[in-house]
Amino acid sequence: MQTVADVMTARVVTLPRDTTLAEAARTMREEDIGDIVVAGGDGTAGLVTDRDIVVRAVAEGRDPASTTIGEILTQDLVTVRPEDTVQSAALLMRDYAVRRVLVCDEEQNLVGIVSIGDLAEEIDPESVLGGISRAEPNN
């Protein structure tokens, strides 16, 4: 049985709370990612996705050059452990209606992130979502 450790992205990009949305968006573009883990004083403060920037900031008329990721982050994070099964991670995503979960070790240290696309590729690589997740961007 596949574990979260087998499919997670171990290289997680983290930025401080006072990073502007514009800077976070540039980082996402440069790193070809859709999420940023927001660092707080004692560890992880939350998560910001490209969708969060659009829906919680741009669509509300907030200035990306002055609004920080700390102002729009999601704080109630769902986490899994590296040894958890891929299926249990998928069930958590379904139950909490999230597209990403953070992977933390037994001391609650961040060790990775898993997206719904990562799981789709692993659980059913022949599915439409699994195929989309593997596809190279046309940009």
Side-chain angles (χ1 to χ4, degrees), residues 37-131:
V37 173
V38 182
D42 59 347
T44 302
L47 184 72
V48 170
T49 67
D50 47 4
R51 185 176 190 280
D52 292 334
I53 292 172
V54 171
V55 173
R56 295 181 184 171
V58 175
E60 296 294 324
R62 296 174 101 173
D63 179 9
S66 62
T67 304
T68 67
I69 58 177
E71 296 175 58
I72 68 161
L73 63 80
T74 297
Q75 292 180 316
D76 297 327
L77 302 175
V78 179
T79 63
V80 295
R81 290 206 166 160
E83 64 272 10
D84 290 345
T85 66
V86 168
Q87 287 77 12
S88 67
L91 291 173
L92 274 174
M93 286 181 179
R94 182 197 66 194
D95 293 348
Y96 287 93
V98 295
R99 296 178 178 135
R100 294 168 180 84
V101 293
L102 298 182
V103 184
C104 297
D105 65 16
E106 54 278 344
E107 287 88 33
Q108 292 302 307
N109 298 311
L110 180 66
V111 296
I113 192 165
V114 175
S115 72
I116 194 169
D118 297 331
L119 298 182
E121 277 187 69
E122 192 57 43
I123 293 171
D124 190 2
E126 300 307 313
S127 71
V128 173
L129 184 56

